Amino acid sequence: MRLVDSALWETHELKIGRVHWRANLDALPKNVDGSLTDWAMVQRGHWSAVVENAGGVFGITDNLRSFPILYSQSEDPMVSSTPTPLLAALDEPRRDLIAAWEFLYGGYLLGSQTLISGISSVEAGAITDLQTGKIVDTYRQPTSYEEADADPLEYMRHFYEVVIKAFEPLASSGRQLLVPLSGGADSRLIMLVLKEAGAKNVLAFTYGTPGSPEVKISRQVAESAGYRWKGIELNREKVHQRWVNPKNGDFLRATWSGEALPHIQDWYALQVLKQDPEVHEDAVVLPGHTIVGNEHGDELLSLGPVSAGDAADLITAHHFNLRGASKASELPDSLQLKIREFLDEKWIPDEAGHNSKALVELNLATRQARYINNSMRGYEYFGFDWALPMLTADPWETWLSGPRRIHTEDRRYYVEFINEEFGRVFETDLEYFMPPAGKIEPKRKQKIKSVLSAVGLLGPLTNMARIRTERRHPMVFEALAGNLSQREFEMKLLRGCRTLGIFCELFIANEWVPGQKVVP
């Protein structure tokens, strides 16, 4: 086995075998007997491991896939947690054309395929034989849990206490904690648990266009908790000029994972913070990524048994809509096959609770693990440490073991508990940021959607609202569309593309930062 980016790994001789370990915040592997699954289940922190023993060479990722493991399947595999040095080690790196076509629909890939021909990836929470490419086992998957019989708000209190414990080591570390705040529930929860855990060295920040209501609410959230706050103003022209600078090719090459679009939402703010004298060099970024909120499809599941075909359309509309697809039949044949294989294994038409968790599992393994969690590479690029306490093992297991009623798309009990707790602890009643449609009571919203659907207006009105937001986004995403003019950008939106879909097209064509090659 050849570990291409070996400088990023530590090697430990443990009972399980020789362990090549990549982790952050000085997390160390626990030395215990048992199977590879037993060993993986007792590890804590953010980590990935490559284990060599008498049975072979195995790649193991934690439940959130903190660090990718890319490998060339062979008797003597080439392994890396970063794609760019792996490309340099290959004799003739080539693009996987099938994977590239699938990528344009979702911005990330299903299964073990990558955008690099001949290179595979270990999936989240999986143990993979790197010599054969076979998945030996998976662990901490949502569909395997028994649900608790508990009052939802009482269980929320229990979950809250588990999350506080997950934050305590960071709070007591003395290191500066940088918290990107939005105006929503996850940000309030972070402020609450940091205060409960005794954290003092906290600096919150929010970015957006001038006058953004989310910026205003975020500032109030931070100040109510007694923490310092910085606002980072996004100017479209300034952001665009920085983005098309050829130096940003280095950023893309350092932050892509080989199987997903680089996550660039925090890119501009991180540059500003890196130059701010109030921001410590060893600061730890604490984004609001969480195990909560991966549920979707409540409306369809509530209607009764759902066929695999309808489930495939639901998955398409949620995950693979970047080119405007709403039906599985509109996707490439290879991607349709992957979705069918997932449903053949996981879907039980008349078991709504089980199916809800199957959808959560897919979300965690794809969008969350491959795209959202890979935003950590951006923090690393700018020299920051990071932590995702709400995605670590104990909060993860606690949330997924909770009563069925807390697992809703609107997160109603989670939001209710956090807003009430925030008001009680900080003696304030702040506005909760959400899009206008989110403020409509769920049953009333469903009636409105039913009426609009019946008269054929739901799709067009939804699309118009989306385009209106995306053409002039509060986070100026349109300024990051390479050298596309505003008119060219808007025409793509009108043809059904989402902003991330436009980014995918530019990225795969090596035109996102003009003149900079990233993908083979």
Side-chain angles (χ1 to χ4, degrees):
M1 188 272 296
R2 178 186 172 192
L3 198 56
V4 174
D5 58 347
S6 58
L8 299 176
W9 301 73
E10 297 176 351
T11 300
H12 302 267
E13 300 294 341
L14 304 180
K15 296 175 181 177
I16 202 74
R18 173 171 291 177
V19 175
H20 305 279
W21 176 261
R22 185 170 180 195
N24 74 341
L25 299 175
D26 301 319
L28 292 172
K30 296 181 184 296
N31 191 10
V32 295
D33 279 321
S35 68
L36 291 170
T37 306
D38 295 336
W39 181 84
M41 284 291 288
V42 302
Q43 306 305 320
R44 290 297 183 268
H46 305 307
W47 60 273
S48 285
V50 177
V51 179
E52 295 181 282
N53 58 28
V57 183
F58 303 92
I60 309 177
T61 59
D62 60 5
N63 46 293
L64 67 156
R65 212 184 72 148
S66 296
F67 304 95
I69 298 178
L70 308 174
Y71 65 98
S72 59
Q73 180 183 318
S74 67
E75 283 297 314
D76 186 25
M78 192 165 9
V79 183
S80 181
S81 60
T82 48
T84 299
L86 185 61
L87 287 173
L90 293 171
D91 292 334
E92 294 183 17
R94 291 179 291 110
R95 177 180 306 182
D96 186 314
L97 297 179
I98 293 175
W101 185 230
E102 294 178 11
F103 166 84
L104 292 174
Y105 286 80
Y108 40 81
L109 300 172
L110 288 186
S112 62
Q113 200 170 17
T114 75
L115 291 169
I116 308 167
S117 181
I119 300 297
S120 300
S121 173
V122 176
E123 299 181 40
I127 301 165
T128 298
D129 184 329
L130 302 186
Q131 295 172 309
T132 66
K134 179 182 178 181
I135 295 178
V136 176
D137 200 2
T138 58
Y139 62 100
R140 286 203 183 92
Q141 298 300 333
T143 49
S144 66
Y145 283 100
E146 295 292 330
E147 294 178 352
D149 182 17
D151 176 80
L153 288 176
E154 288 180 4
Y155 198 85
M156 278 305 314
R157 170 67 59 182
H158 170 57
F159 174 69
Y160 176 61
E161 291 169 353
V162 171
V163 172
I164 291 172
K165 288 188 178 298
F167 275 78
E168 285 176 347
L170 288 165
S172 63
S173 70
R175 295 176 67 175
Q176 186 180 56
L177 305 178
L178 290 178
V179 183
L181 279 191
S182 69
D186 300 327
S187 293
R188 295 181 193 214
L189 178 59
I190 290 179
M191 293 288 97
L192 276 166
V193 297
L194 286 175
K195 185 64 71 172
E196 293 274 16
K200 295 181 174 59
N201 192 3
V202 175
L203 176 61
F205 67 94
T206 309
Y207 47 89
T209 52
S212 166
E214 188 166 12
V215 171
K216 176 185 175 183
I217 294 171
S218 298
R219 179 174 187 169
Q220 293 172 343
V221 167
E223 292 178 347
S224 296
Y227 291 130
R228 290 182 301 150
W229 177 88
K230 285 183 178 289
I232 299 171
E233 183 176 303
L234 300 180
N235 173 278
R236 286 180 174 83
E237 184 59 30
K238 186 181 291 186
V239 170
H240 175 71
Q241 289 304 319
R242 284 202 185 185
W243 179 252
V244 297
N245 187 317
K247 292 181 180 179
N248 279 327
D250 292 336
F251 173 80
L252 292 182
R253 284 184 283 271
T255 59
W256 81 302
S257 63
E259 58 193 337
L261 189 73
H263 195 284
I264 48 81
Q265 180 172 310
D266 297 330
W267 161 80
Y268 185 84
L270 292 170
Q271 289 186 77
V272 174
L273 291 170
K274 189 64 179 176
Q275 298 167 0
D276 191 322
E278 292 187 50
V279 175
H280 297 183
E281 287 188 3
D282 68 341
V284 180
V285 185
L286 290 179
H289 304 344
T290 174
I291 184 60
V292 183
N294 284 282
E295 293 81 5
H296 69 97
D298 287 359
E299 292 177 10
L300 181 63
L301 294 174
S302 68
L303 298 177
V306 177
S307 69
D310 286 340
D313 290 342
L314 176 66
I315 289 169
T316 299
H318 187 78
H319 284 279
F320 304 111
N321 63 358
L322 297 189
R323 297 173 69 84
S326 60
K327 301 284 187 182
S329 58
E330 301 170 44
L331 302 177
D333 290 346
S334 57
L335 184 51
Q336 291 185 50
L337 177 61
K338 289 179 180 179
I339 294 172
R340 286 200 300 271
E341 288 175 344
F342 172 81
L343 292 170
D344 286 345
E345 180 183 355
K346 301 288 184 181
W347 201 255
I348 305 175
D350 58 352
E351 293 192 16
H354 170 91
N355 291 338
S356 176
K357 284 195 174 182
L359 293 173
V360 169
E361 183 173 321
L362 182 65
N363 207 39
L364 289 170
T366 55
R367 183 175 183 272
Q368 186 77 45
R370 293 171 182 261
Y371 177 60
I372 300 297
N373 295 346
N374 209 58
S375 63
M376 305 306 101
R377 309 290 83 83
Y379 302 142
E380 294 165 0
Y381 178 80
F382 287 104
F384 295 118
D385 253 330
W386 54 271
L388 306 179
M390 290 190 289
L391 276 173
T392 48
D394 296 329
W396 179 291
E397 291 180 351
T398 302
W399 178 258
L400 293 175
S401 299
R404 172 77 180 96
R405 284 190 290 166
I406 70 172
H407 297 291
T408 59
E409 190 168 356
D410 61 10
R411 311 191 302 173
R412 66 177 73 94
Y413 291 110
Y414 175 78
V415 172
E416 178 182 346
F417 175 86
I418 290 170
N419 284 340
E420 288 182 359
E421 190 70 9
F422 194 93
R424 183 187 68 79
V425 172
F426 299 123
E427 299 181 345
T428 184
D429 183 19
L430 297 179
E431 183 182 356
Y432 176 66
F433 177 79
M434 62 175 66
K439 298 179 181 180
I440 304 174
E441 193 272 329
K443 290 185 178 178
R444 182 165 175 259
K445 184 195 296 185
Q446 182 55 40
K447 287 181 180 179
I448 294 172
K449 289 175 69 175
S450 297
V451 171
L452 291 174
S453 181
V455 296
L457 290 177
L458 180 60
L461 288 175
T462 301
N463 203 39
M464 286 174 59
R466 175 188 64 79
I467 292 172
R468 182 180 179 184
T469 299
E470 292 192 41
R471 66 180 295 272
R472 288 287 180 180
H473 199 278
M475 293 184 184
V476 301
F477 290 149
E478 69 277 9
L480 303 173
N483 274 337
L484 290 181
S485 68
Q486 183 68 24
R487 176 176 172 78
E488 289 171 326
F489 179 79
E490 291 176 2
M491 288 303 296
K492 286 180 176 291
L493 294 179
L494 287 169
R495 287 195 289 268
C497 251
R498 274 54 172 176
T499 297
L500 285 181
I502 296 171
F503 290 172
C504 286
E505 290 181 356
L506 293 168
F507 179 67
I508 209 75
N510 287 311
E511 295 176 359
W512 201 6
V513 174
Q516 296 299 301
K517 184 175 180 179
V518 181
V519 185

